[in-house]
Amino acid sequence: MSAPERITIDVGAHQGVDVAPELWGLFIEDLNDALDGGLNAERVRNGDFEFSAADRDGWDALTAWHPDVAGQVEFRTDDPIHPNNAHYLRLTGPVAVVNDGWDGIAVTGGQAFRLSFFARAAGEPVRLVVAVDDLASTGVTVRPGGWHRYEATLVAVADGQGRLRVEIPESGTVDLDHVSLRPAGPDGEPLTFRPDLLEALKDLAPSFIRFPGGCLAHGLGLDNVYHWKTTIGPRHERVQLPNLWGYHQSRQIGYVEYFELCQATGATPIPVVAAGVCCQNTPGGPQAIGDDGMNAYIQDVLDLIEFANGSPDTPWGARRAELGHPEPFDLRYLGLGNEDEITDDFRDRYARIEDAVREHHPEICVIGTSGPQFFGRDYEAGWAFARARGTAMVDEHGYRNPRWFHQNVDRYLAYEPGPQVYVGEYAARSNTIRSALAEAAYMIGLERSPGVVRLASYAPLLARVGHAQWTPDLIYFTATEVLPSASYHVQAMFAGERGSRLHPVTLGGVEPEPVTLPKTGSVRLTSRGADVDYADIVLDGVVRQGVRTGPGGEPVELGDIDPAAATLELTATRRAGDEGFVVELGGESYLQVHVGSWQNRSTVVLRGDDGITNDDHGPLHWHGVPTGVPVRVKVRLAGARVRVWVDGELRHDYEQDLRPEHRVLAGATSRTAADGSTEYVIRAVNAHPTARVASIRLAEPLEPAVATVTTLAGAGPDEGRPFAASPVTPVVTTAAADTLDLPPWSFVTAVIRRIP
Ligand code: AHR
């Protein structure tokens, strides 16, 4: 290993600018089984028998349940426990059914669980035996008459992972619904949140929690919009919905549990309500709530504010008190919309809702939306709309590759005065150290832009191994384990040590790294979801033989190119399949031209660096690759300029982003400790194979001083992967206050204190 390079971190005097006090928070959406199957402590999956094919093809009321002892098992909907919980099971004994839970039901020896269900017997009382394999069991006698709720405690006799078994050992008929098994808390009451995941969230010391989405907030179609009022009250009465991520929403973590989660973690709530339109990804496009429904919808939004903050003398404050919370939840923010397409309908509905909130609750900070990317059509339109309306804050989202984050550490220094920013969703793609360090560099940039950026949250937060729809994620988990990613440790290091005053930092001895075009490369064709023939291929003026690509995704090489001066033309004809095809140009870094990306609905140019891709230009809506109809494509690379023609239309024409990367970066804040002394919080990223030793010079030195240093280091840039814990965890040491070791590929936080 080469000798460490020496750099300097000069920390200037405080210039009167304070750090955004609530900068680091969380965004929770029921994606990747984050809630049902995750944070929700419930162990019975589909305990309400409400799963259906609307959730996922092939699912029905018995999903996750299996008959065990052959007997009569019947579904019924007559006289249910509640109209919102229409399906129940009629069991006629002897019979048994088992529930798989989520990959089994994990128990530890001595652990108590609270079992509950609704049941009614026909005729005589019927004895049920309920057990988790041979790990825990209890008996309950179900009475005849109407529905009753039954409760019992099961205590596990050993560690293990089993299935919940409900048995009628002898004869008798029982109707069964809303079956629940939750770990008991210290008071013997069923837990709401899975404790280890709750601890992982608490360790992030979130200032706020955004909920319920994301896409989930505005739903796929108007009947899939998340209406908060349908998620409070007894769990078995809540409206359950298909989850647009391809599963089911039980709403067991509804709005009250969300506010309770905020209280449990010390976070302020940021609920997100639909801006009167459903998700822009709804097949056929976003739909708006009709004029006849808008007043009621606006009233729902105002009622949410009253539910959170109103005194118990108000109707919705009284409802909150009735649900066990006489004290308000201190709501100060309200998200309105999520990544919406900025259409006329959106503008109209958004304006009506925001106007009503301004009129009735001027104390609430409304957060607008600016599309799914840090740039592009909806970003521009969303920002123009927010500026014109004087919206207080705008939510920006972006999932990019690590290079982009290193290039954009100063993004917000250039923002004009106007609405402030909530970076509501961001992540560097991949779960590697490289990505975590890119996020750390970006977060230093966010911290030093408090005039603009007030709030930020990584996304997505939680993902159950084997049940994920989206990667990368911050925290993976199984039935028994919590697997924090390297990005999680970065978030915890930022949130765990916060200064309140911002200090300017001058970095000496290191320069931003230039980004260059690839020097050599080749052209490769692939078509993962289609059979495609390519003919009339001309590469840099040389005619090539026709080729075919198939759905296996194996690339076909066309030949070498100079990535700074190349021209490719070809005619592609899809023979079978649903998707389009991809033209890849370059070497280690490369461009990918996707013709028919995103369910064959767009064209886009991606750039890949270190094996991780980024949208470079687009996606742009397109009619898609038809079967049997030739599509002529021309790609021209000239220096940084990229042009792509499809059937003669110039669809992409842009310059590649060659701004340098800030791979070595530092930031500084200070705070006043309990004893009145000043403490400095220095953060530094070294996303580089070379170790560095930084001399720290404080404009107002503390002498004698010592530093508590937390270092995340020791793994190569490409180590770390989804569904596994980070290969490294932060290490805390005590060190001299004037020197900071920055190992290769590291993120370091040093808290410098005067020695008393
Ligand atoms: O975080 C996952 C999804 O990404 C969110 O639901 C949506 O807002 C974004 O597109």
Side-chain angles (χ1 to χ4, degrees):
M1 204 174 27
S2 55
E5 286 180 7
R6 298 209 72 90
I7 64 171
T8 52
I9 297 176
D10 278 295
V11 178
H14 174 51
Q15 314 273 298
V17 179
D18 288 338
V19 173
E22 296 181 311
L23 189 53
W24 311 124
L26 304 179
F27 162 44
I28 294 191
E29 175 173 27
D30 199 356
L31 156 68
N32 306 321
D33 283 10
L35 298 187
D36 284 345
L39 189 60
N40 182 5
E42 180 60 63
R43 298 292 170 90
V44 181
R45 185 160 173 240
N46 191 18
D48 291 296
F49 308 105
E50 295 301 323
F51 281 23
S52 79
D55 300 318
R56 188 180 292 183
D57 277 350
W59 282 14
D60 59 23
L62 210 56
T63 294
W65 292 90
H66 309 280
D68 197 30
V69 170
Q72 220 178 307
V73 178
E74 193 191 344
F75 276 108
R76 299 185 70 105
T77 54
D78 54 305
D79 190 16
I81 54 171
H82 190 272
N84 290 340
N85 207 324
H87 299 83
Y88 62 88
L89 207 58
R90 174 162 291 178
L91 301 172
T92 302
V95 70
V97 288
V98 291
N99 183 277
D100 297 332
W102 281 268
D103 308 324
I105 294 172
V107 303
T108 47
Q111 188 182 14
F113 286 87
R114 293 293 290 161
L115 168 76
S116 68
F117 54 84
F118 281 81
R120 65 183 171 199
E124 295 301 305
V126 179
R127 185 153 176 80
L128 294 187
V129 177
V130 183
V132 179
D133 287 5
D134 52 3
L135 297 165
S137 103
T138 189
V140 180
T141 299
V142 176
R143 299 187 298 275
W147 288 105
H148 288 287
R149 186 161 185 269
Y150 294 86
E151 290 185 79
T153 299
L154 283 79
V155 179
V157 293
D159 295 359
Q161 211 151 320
R163 297 188 300 170
L164 185 83
R165 188 164 192 273
V166 181
E167 178 172 22
I168 302 177
E170 292 165 8
S171 62
T173 296
V174 165
D175 291 341
L176 183 72
D177 206 351
H178 196 62
V179 185
S180 167
L181 184 75
R182 289 175 177 265
D187 58 358
E189 292 300 313
L191 291 177
T192 302
F193 304 115
R194 185 176 141 170
D196 53 355
L197 290 177
L198 180 61
E199 280 313 305
L201 302 189
K202 282 184 181 170
D203 288 347
L204 291 173
S207 289
F208 64 85
I209 300 180
R210 175 179 183 247
F211 169 91
C215 295
L216 206 79
H218 53 182
L220 267 199
L222 287 178
D223 52 4
N224 196 234
V225 170
Y226 198 102
H227 291 286
W228 73 273
K229 286 180 183 170
T230 63
T231 72
I232 60 171
R235 290 199 178 107
H236 69 280
E237 295 182 4
R238 298 181 186 177
V239 174
Q240 304 187 26
L241 281 183
N243 183 322
L244 51 68
W245 297 107
Y247 57 106
H248 183 88
Q249 301 183 62
S250 74
R251 315 291 201 95
Q252 293 188 1
I253 295 189
Y255 254 89
V256 171
E257 292 78 11
Y258 160 54
F259 286 132
E260 288 172 351
L261 179 67
C262 291
Q263 289 183 328
T265 54
T268 199
I270 304 187
V272 178
V273 295
V277 285
C278 64
C279 182
Q280 66 285 356
N281 297 324
T282 303
Q287 299 135 30
I289 295 174
D291 274 334
D292 51 347
M294 270 310 283
N295 285 345
Y297 183 72
I298 291 169
Q299 191 56 51
D300 277 356
V301 175
L302 299 178
D303 290 346
L304 173 60
I305 299 169
E306 185 176 289
F307 180 71
N309 290 351
S311 91
D313 300 337
T314 60
W316 284 100
R319 181 77 178 116
R320 185 193 66 239
E322 200 178 287
L323 293 171
H325 292 278
E327 294 305 320
F329 289 121
D330 188 25
L331 183 68
R332 291 180 284 118
Y333 298 100
L334 180 74
L336 187 49
N338 173 69
E339 300 188 353
D340 293 271
E341 195 175 328
I342 312 298
T343 61
D344 288 346
D345 275 348
F346 167 84
R347 289 187 177 90
D348 172 73
R349 304 305 191 271
Y350 178 99
R352 288 199 236 175
I353 301 166
E354 188 178 58
D355 286 348
V357 175
R358 281 177 178 167
E359 183 187 339
H360 296 280
H361 293 284
E363 74 283 7
I364 296 290
C365 170
V366 174
I367 306 175
T369 184
S370 61
Q373 306 229 50
F374 285 130
F375 49 82
R377 189 190 58 187
D378 292 321
Y379 170 84
E380 300 292 343
W383 264 100
F385 183 57
R387 284 187 192 283
R389 288 195 53 77
T391 295
M393 200 179 280
V394 171
D395 181 14
E396 291 193 354
H397 296 177
Y399 299 92
R400 313 290 299 159
N401 66 3
R403 187 190 72 156
W404 185 91
F405 285 94
H406 286 296
Q407 285 178 304
N408 282 278
V409 296
D410 289 336
R411 172 181 173 86
Y412 295 103
L413 296 181
Y415 267 45
E416 286 166 20
Q420 293 184 308
V421 172
Y422 168 26
V423 187
E425 297 181 23
Y426 69 94
R429 287 194 181 126
S430 94
N431 266 126
T432 57
I433 297 296
R434 189 190 294 285
S435 294
L437 298 183
E439 288 152 8
Y442 192 66
M443 290 170 78
I444 289 175
L446 299 184
E447 195 169 50
R448 67 188 187 196
S449 308
V452 176
V453 182
R454 305 302 292 174
L455 311 166
S457 45
Y458 180 102
L461 179 66
L462 290 162
R464 186 174 185 108
V465 176
H467 299 262
Q469 293 83 36
W470 185 293
T471 57
D473 303 289
L474 201 66
I475 305 170
Y476 296 98
F477 59 92
T478 65
T480 52
E481 293 168 302
V482 177
L483 307 167
S485 65
S487 298
Y488 174 89
H489 297 303
V490 166
Q491 295 284 328
M493 285 168 68
F494 272 90
E497 293 293 358
R498 305 185 194 205
S500 54
R501 298 176 291 264
L502 192 68
H503 290 257
V505 166
T506 311
L507 206 57
V510 63
E511 293 294 326
E513 289 185 28
V515 172
T516 57
L517 294 173
K519 305 251 176 316
T520 56
S522 63
V523 176
R524 300 169 291 279
L525 301 175
T526 51
S527 59
R528 192 149 285 138
D531 280 305
V532 180
D533 282 332
Y534 307 85
D536 301 326
I537 304 173
V538 185
L539 179 57
D540 290 331
V542 179
V543 176
R544 308 280 168 140
Q545 264 201 330
V547 295
R548 168 173 270 227
T549 58
E554 282 305 306
V556 173
E557 290 258 359
L558 289 186
D560 290 343
I561 55 161
D562 172 358
T567 305
L568 169 71
E569 289 183 75
L570 54 79
T571 299
T573 308
R574 188 173 78 185
R575 301 296 175 200
D578 299 324
E579 301 282 326
F581 56 93
V582 178
V583 181
E584 191 169 290
L585 309 104
E588 239 171 65
S589 298
Y590 51 86
L591 295 171
Q592 281 183 348
V593 179
H594 288 241
V595 182
S597 62
W598 231 76
Q599 300 162 341
N600 199 17
R601 281 161 43 183
S602 57
T603 63
V604 64
V605 185
L606 269 56
R607 177 169 162 149
D609 293 283
D610 305 307
I612 308 166
T613 55
N614 224 24
D615 296 350
D616 228 16
H617 196 257
L620 304 179
H621 287 294
W622 189 55
H623 56 66
V625 177
T627 297
V629 181
V631 177
R632 186 75 180 157
V633 176
K634 179 175 172 183
V635 181
R636 176 158 219 167
L637 308 181
R641 189 172 180 196
V642 178
R643 275 168 290 175
V644 178
W645 292 261
V646 180
D647 285 335
E649 178 197 355
L650 180 59
R651 293 188 62 78
H652 301 278
D653 184 359
Y654 73 99
E655 298 274 332
Q656 292 181 63
D657 183 354
L658 300 181
R659 287 174 300 156
E661 291 185 72
H662 295 262
R663 283 172 171 250
V664 181
L665 197 67
T669 60
S670 69
R671 63 192 179 204
T672 304
D675 65 0
S677 64
T678 297
E679 295 178 349
Y680 285 86
V681 181
I682 314 288
R683 310 190 197 278
V685 171
N686 183 27
H688 204 276
T690 307
R692 263 115 189 172
V693 176
S695 301
I696 298 184
R697 296 189 296 234
L698 304 176
E700 291 154 6
L702 304 176
E703 276 168 5
V706 66
T708 304
V709 179
T710 308
T711 305
L712 185 70
D718 299 318
E719 288 190 43
R721 59 183 171 84
F723 312 116
S726 165
V728 284
T729 53
V731 174
V732 181
T733 53
T734 301
D738 57 356
T739 308
L740 197 56
D741 280 328
L742 305 178
W745 302 104
S746 66
F747 173 48
V748 178
T749 298
V751 178
I752 301 176
R753 306 183 168 86
R754 191 191 301 277
I755 299 170

